[in-house]
Amino acid sequence: MTIFLDMRLAPVGGGLATRVSIIQHNGNSSQSLSLSDLLPILRGRHVLIATHGFNVDRAAAIACLSNWESLLQLPPSAVYVGLLWPGDSIWAHGLDYPEEPRIANHAGSLLAPFLDANFKDAASISFVSHSLGARVVLATVSHLSLPVRRVTLMAPAIDND
C-alpha cells in the first residue's frame, strides 16, 4: 500500500488542483483516503515524501513511486508518501517544458501549507525527487514552516544558483 498526495486535475496533462487530495494505492486500484485516516499513520513517524520529474502521467508516477517504496525497505518508524503533480502534457510532449517550472513552483507553494497544517505530528519530514520534481520540493521547502530533516535531489532540473 502506498499513500499519495495528489495535486493533479487529470490522469494525463491538465492543470494543478486547488487542493491536495490523499489516495491510497494497492496494486492495481486506488481509493481516496481521508485526512483523519492519514494523520494517525504520520504521528510520531519519519515521513519521506518522494516525487517524480517531468513528463510523467498519473499512472506512471503511481507505478514508479509505488515500486520505489518497495525497494527502500524503510523501518517501521518511517512512512513513505508519494507526491503526484501535473508535470506532463496531453499534447506536444516536451514542447510544454518551458511552462512546467512555473507549475512545479506553484505545486510547491500549494503543498507547503497543507504539510504545515497536517504533518506537524510527524517525527520529521524529508523529501526526495527527480528532475523537475526538484522544483516542487524546493518551492515546498521555501514556503514550509515545519523543519525539514533532509532533501535529496536526483538529477535536479534547477538552476545552479
Side-chain angles (χ1 to χ4, degrees):
M1 171 199 73
T2 303
I3 297 168
F4 289 93
L5 303 178
D6 189 0
M7 298 189 299
R8 299 183 65 104
L9 287 177
V12 178
L16 184 65
T18 57
R19 66 178 193 86
V20 178
S21 299
I22 308 162
I23 60 173
Q24 178 179 329
H25 182 76
N26 291 315
N28 292 328
S29 66
S30 295
Q31 64 184 29
S32 292
L33 189 66
S34 71
L35 189 56
S36 62
D37 289 331
L38 176 64
L39 296 180
I41 296 169
L42 303 175
R43 191 171 295 118
R45 295 175 77 188
H46 300 283
V47 178
L48 175 61
I49 300 173
T51 195
H52 58 85
F54 171 68
N55 206 19
V56 180
D57 64 30
R58 181 185 277 140
I62 288 173
C64 292
L65 292 171
S66 295
N67 184 55
W68 195 20
E69 178 185 24
S70 70
L71 298 173
L72 288 175
Q73 301 177 13
L74 295 175
S77 61
V79 62
Y80 176 94
V81 177
L83 174 62
L84 309 174
W85 64 282
D88 63 322
S89 175
I90 198 163
W91 62 275
H93 301 290
L95 293 179
D96 63 334
Y97 185 80
E99 184 65 15
E100 295 302 333
R102 183 187 61 77
I103 293 169
N105 289 332
H106 190 202
S109 65
L110 173 68
L111 181 61
F114 177 84
L115 297 178
D116 279 336
N118 300 299
F119 282 53
K120 55 184 165 262
D121 290 336
S124 69
I125 301 173
S126 295
F127 295 90
V128 61
S129 70
H130 175 255
S131 182
L132 198 57
R135 288 183 180 265
V136 177
V137 168
L138 292 175
T140 301
V141 170
S142 72
H143 291 92
L144 197 62
S145 297
L146 293 172
V148 174
R149 181 178 184 192
R150 181 169 294 136
V151 172
T152 303
L153 308 176
M154 297 179 289
I158 56 174
D159 295 331
N160 187 15
D161 58 5

